Amino acid sequence: MKKTMLMIGGALLVNSTVSNAVEQASKPRRDYIEEVVVTAQKRSESIQDVPIAVSVLSADRMRNSAMESFEDVSMASPNTEINMTPGYVQVGMRGLNSPINDGMEQSVGFYVDGIYYGKTAFLQDAFLDLARVELLKGPQGTLFGKNSVAGAINVTSAKPGDEWEASLSLVGGELGNKKVEAMVNAPLIDERLSLRLAATRHERDGYVHNTLRGEDEKIVDKEGLRARLLFNATDDLSLLLTAYTGSSHDTGQGWEPYQLEAGAALVHGLFDSGLEDRFDYQSHTNAPNRSDSDTDVMNLEMNWDVGEHLVTLIASHAAADEFLYLDADTASAPIADWGRSTDYKQDMLELRLTSGPGEFEYIVGLFGFRSDNTLVGDLRMLPDQLLADVVGEALGLSGLLDALSILDPILTPIDNLLSGLTTDNLHQLYTQKTETRAVFSQFTWNITDELSVIAGLRASSETKDVVIDQDYESTGLLLQAAFGVTEYRLDDSRDESNFAPKLSIKYALGDDLLYASYAEGFKAGGYNPLARTADEAVFDQETAVAYELGYKLSALEGALTLNAAAYHTRFSDMQIQAFIGNGFIVSNAAEAVTKGVEFDLNFQPFAGTQIFASWGYTDARFEKFTDGPCMAGDSAETCDLTGARLPRAPEYSATAGFNTAIPVFDSGAAFVIGSDLNWRDDIFFDLDQDPIDSQEAYHLINLHAGIIDLDGAWQFMVHVKNLEDRTVRQFSADLPIFEGSHMGFLQPPRIITANLNLHF
């Protein structure tokens, strides 16, 4: 094993050990450069030998750049957009983003240690004791299966090792930021049994203040514990058991009204004298918004060397319990609240046979997946208040009404009658059972030392059984008028199948790689739990066909890598969701195309310094979409969006930065400084292309500086995120009920933190 000093794997220099990719050791590399190994094709390979566009973030870079979530990760990769707001999680690549809907599958598959997760709640928990994060661009249907039409996020946790090891990370800073992360690695039986424990606790005050309720929103309150037990039963057989439990709590999305038409300003203003319509980190919702999630995961991975082959078995069970409560009108008047509880469980089993290196290499496997998803919700109109109370408070007559309490025997029957016509609940029940079965294979023919052909195929079938039941508690008159929802019951099932082929050709030009690929992917159809009527509940499968041409350059003995890719992806029956002010409409658009180019550069001119940059261009548009949603105020029922840009798809995105370490004389320490700049082009947040619901092009600058021990025993860093304190919209849409009004929430302002890491 080779020890590397002052290597900034993407952000900071610490000692690291090269223990993977032994096969790559024959390549000339400077002694401070570590080989980047990925499992993008479900076998360990150098990133420079994989014919896929992959962005990789090492544990060092994420930790030392103060990356705390996948939102931070997305800013470091071109053509990647991730929003982690509870209840509004969206993940997108190359212009395609998944709608926010519990009945719709993700466009970007999410995998942790080989497990596919069908629920975005698990993204909140995966950021603990990581080895690396791989962002795979383009359809990955052959090896990763359904719901990877735009790409896949492949997360690898740190494995137990054969040496005693411990670390402690302490973070403090603005907004009451307090984070503790600890890890212990214990070799229980020499070279046979080892245990790795990692735990985290993170608290931070909210950066949005609700002036109406006097509370902060957007707080962070999460904790997690992961245990991994590695048992090397023999020299050929190993078992890795992983258990994780975590919880996360939030106090709302930080909704801010930023454009109010006269009716909305009048009604909401009656309940909030301080109501304003601009983005300034001040919320005005009257309901105590909150989001809670609890997740548990058990996972067993077996690896068995049988001759020249490797047999891998992954079996897992995961569960997530969520509760979301929000002000459905997103402003001050007590018009509507919405609450929903989620009970989700999934089981996954994958069996693979992987050949050893040679002229012919292959992977064949079986995949099985089952999930149960139950949603129970209530949409309440004028919640918990009688009509007379609401009107009296709005008009400032509450004192007068109290004085006239002698008239209660007369007024109460009238109030009860009016309440029956107005105050109401819509009780919502959604249960869905999903079963997926697949067989997959990928074959590599190394025709010469330079030329290889890769072919793969995945055959899948899926069954979904659903029950959707919506019932009024009373008349439902206002619910129909405000949100268009109706009473209905849908008891249905659907069966669908898919074949996802892949073909790649790669050619080695010395240390460089030229490749071309063709791939297909798909996203399963399903049911919309937010459907207003039974006719709006069903949507069909989405498919993708992608072409990619790439070049991976290695120079200066591995100190310089430049990876470039050009791509063209066509989506058929694209699943879309439109928020029309009073509901979510889900359907299949006709066709869409995303095409563009990406560049990713890493340069280590000398030990202790790294320069990195990436740039992406995406042209993501509907090729045919004649019955799309219209902007507020348009009298037409549908509008032709053919040629319109896809939502949340910036045309250009870029990041650039550097890190350098300067030894402090002979003290055994080094001063470290680094920075990164992230730039995004303008985007539309919604399908209707309303320029009000958009974010203009912006950039964010992050800085970090500190001092480290060259032997890796400690490091102290100060981080500044959003140095210029820029106000950036994270989401924007029509304000519910009041046409022509708008609301949204913001990305965090400038936040300064200090981080002390100790390693034993």
Side-chain angles (χ1 to χ4, degrees), residues 373 375 429-433 465-469 489-492 527:
N373 193 18
L375 311 177
L429 172 66
Y430 174 93
T431 63
Q432 178 174 285
K433 298 181 183 297
D465 298 305
V466 71
V467 173
I468 306 178
D469 198 337
R489 179 180 175 85
L490 176 66
D491 192 339
D492 196 20
Y527 303 91

Side-chain angles (χ1 to χ4, degrees), residues 128 204 367 728:
L128 172 64
R204 191 197 67 198
F367 176 85
V728 179

Side-chain angles (χ1 to χ4, degrees), residues 358-420:
E359 182 179 355
F360 290 96
E361 301 173 3
Y362 52 85
I363 297 175
V364 294
L366 300 173
F367 176 85
F369 178 85
R370 179 177 62 194
S371 67
D372 294 315
N373 193 18
T374 300
L375 311 177
V376 179
D378 284 287
L379 176 62
R380 291 173 280 272
M381 291 293 295
L382 301 179
D384 302 325
Q385 298 194 54
L386 297 178
L387 184 62
D389 295 331
V390 174
V391 174
E393 182 178 347
L395 299 180
L397 301 178
S398 56
L400 177 61
L401 291 176
D402 290 339
L404 296 178
S405 59
I406 191 174
L407 299 179
D408 279 353
I410 300 174
L411 296 177
T412 297
I414 298 175
D415 203 359
N416 289 340
L417 175 62
L418 292 175
S419 178

Side-chain angles (χ1 to χ4, degrees), residues 187-265:
L188 304 179
I189 300 177
D190 189 31
E191 297 184 353
R192 288 300 180 191
L193 186 66
S194 53
L195 174 68
R196 189 180 184 98
L197 298 173
T200 184
R201 173 71 181 162
H202 188 192
E203 296 180 359
R204 191 197 67 198
D205 297 335
Y207 57 83
V208 175
H209 183 67
N210 188 297
T211 59
L212 183 61
R213 292 185 286 108
E215 298 178 356
D216 289 334
E217 298 183 357
K218 306 287 284 188
I219 71 166
V220 173
D221 182 6
K222 63 175 60 177
E223 58 188 12
L225 172 65
R226 178 185 291 125
R228 309 197 79 189
L229 184 66
L230 177 62
F231 176 40
N232 295 311
T234 69
D235 292 341
D236 300 322
L237 176 65
S238 68
L239 301 172
L240 179 58
L241 178 65
T242 302
Y244 177 87
T245 183
S247 64
S248 178
H249 309 279
D250 204 332
T251 54
Q253 294 72 38
W255 297 113
E256 297 186 50
Y258 66 90
Q259 178 165 310
L260 297 174
E261 51 85 30

Side-chain angles (χ1 to χ4, degrees), residues 492-568:
D492 196 20
S493 64
R494 61 182 295 120
D495 294 287
E496 56 191 26
S497 59
N498 181 270
F499 292 90
K502 173 185 177 180
L503 179 64
S504 297
I505 299 175
K506 66 176 186 177
Y507 187 78
L509 300 169
D511 290 336
D512 301 343
L513 179 70
L514 174 67
Y515 70 90
S517 67
Y518 167 89
E520 296 183 15
F522 72 102
K523 189 165 67 167
Y527 303 91
N528 175 18
L530 303 176
R532 302 176 303 172
T533 66
D535 293 339
E536 297 178 353
V538 183
F539 54 91
D540 293 326
Q541 183 183 102
E542 171 186 311
T543 59
V545 176
Y547 303 87
E548 185 171 314
L549 180 65
Y551 190 82
K552 298 191 173 186
L553 178 147
S554 296
L556 303 178
E557 299 178 352
L560 173 66
T561 60
L562 174 62
N563 298 338
Y567 60 89
H568 183 285

Side-chain angles (χ1 to χ4, degrees), residues 284-349:
H284 302 273
T285 56
N286 65 285
N289 298 336
R290 55 182 275 233
S291 173
D292 304 306
S293 69
D294 296 282
T295 56
D296 295 284
V297 177
M298 289 290 293
N299 177 37
L300 175 64
E301 178 181 338
M302 180 197 76
N303 287 287
W304 184 21
D305 288 309
V306 182
E308 297 296 324
H309 294 78
L310 174 65
V311 177
T312 301
L313 173 68
I314 299 176
S316 72
H317 172 78
D321 293 317
E322 295 181 280
F323 179 75
L324 178 67
Y325 188 84
L326 57 85
D327 190 324
D329 56 77
T330 69
S332 309
I335 298 174
D337 296 348
W338 183 57
R340 182 196 67 199
S341 61
T342 302
D343 181 10
Y344 176 84
K345 294 179 175 62
Q346 70 166 58
D347 297 287
M348 193 203 90
L349 182 68

Side-chain angles (χ1 to χ4, degrees), residues 31 185 384 549 645:
D31 58 6
N185 185 89
D384 302 325
L549 180 65
R645 291 168 55 186

